[in-house]
Amino acid sequence: MDGILAIGNLYSPNRGLDFLIANTLAHPFLEHLVIWGVDRLKSGDALVRLKDNGFEKGRDNLGRDCWLVKDFPLGRISADFSDEDLEVFRQTVEIDDMRGRAWEVVAAKLEGLKNVTPFTPIRKPRVVKLTETRVSKSFPTIPVAHRI
């Protein structure tokens, strides 16, 4: 479809948000994010609540500094973002929640968005380098085999 910059999946209410926010900030033409489809892991909820409720400093389940999506315990965002980065994202991006809607309704919404902004930058590009995450500990386990 003409006028669409990107289409993709948001699999995770934590690490997935990092990539979405970083890419959106780096591309100043991205103004609307349309959420559609089944939201099994509630990543769409995390995105909507980030926009609506904001974020606060916190720690992830391994004790690392991060940003927490307010009122959504699973929503975590990398500490690589500054609070200003996240506020710019919240203030300059519109989130259109189309979950649970028929494809025809979503297609009509996308068609309507084509002419909203003629690809004019709405913010300065911001590049955020995300730190590679690694598991800090490995836990021992017993060898297991299953015979069928």
Side-chain angles (χ1 to χ4, degrees):
M1 294 181 88
D2 292 337
I4 294 177
L5 293 175
I7 295 176
N9 294 319
L10 181 59
Y11 290 110
S12 167
N14 45 56
R15 192 63 176 161
L17 288 177
D18 292 347
F19 297 114
L20 176 73
I21 295 167
N23 280 305
T24 302
L25 291 175
H27 294 90
F29 300 101
L30 282 173
E31 182 177 4
H32 288 270
L33 296 175
V34 178
I35 305 171
W36 180 67
V38 178
D39 190 13
R40 288 186 176 92
L41 294 177
K42 304 301 180 200
S43 53
D45 285 348
L47 185 59
V48 169
R49 289 189 189 179
L50 171 63
K51 172 75 174 165
D52 293 345
N53 302 339
F55 56 92
E56 58 195 358
K57 286 186 176 185
R59 293 191 181 276
D60 66 12
N61 55 348
L62 295 176
R64 297 176 295 206
D65 289 335
C66 69
W67 297 104
L68 301 174
V69 175
K70 285 185 180 176
D71 301 323
F72 194 77
L74 297 176
R76 293 183 297 274
I77 302 165
S78 172
D80 294 331
F81 294 100
S82 69
D83 57 343
E84 184 181 348
D85 291 332
L86 296 178
E87 278 303 326
V88 166
F89 176 83
R90 289 182 66 230
Q91 299 304 320
T92 62
V93 175
E94 293 298 322
I95 297 174
D96 298 299
D97 190 355
M98 304 295 287
R99 292 175 291 172
R101 304 278 180 92
W103 168 246
E104 295 78 18
V105 176
V106 177
K109 176 70 174 179
L110 294 174
E111 191 65 31
L113 288 174
K114 280 175 41 176
N115 299 319
V116 169
T117 305
F119 292 103
T120 305
I122 58 168
R123 65 185 159 271
K124 292 182 181 179
R126 301 170 84 88
V127 177
V128 178
K129 183 167 174 41
L130 296 175
T131 305
E132 188 69 30
T133 58
R134 295 201 169 119
V135 176
S136 61
K137 297 178 183 177
S138 62
F139 298 99
T141 182
I142 59 170
V144 177
H146 297 280
R147 179 175 279 178
I148 299 177

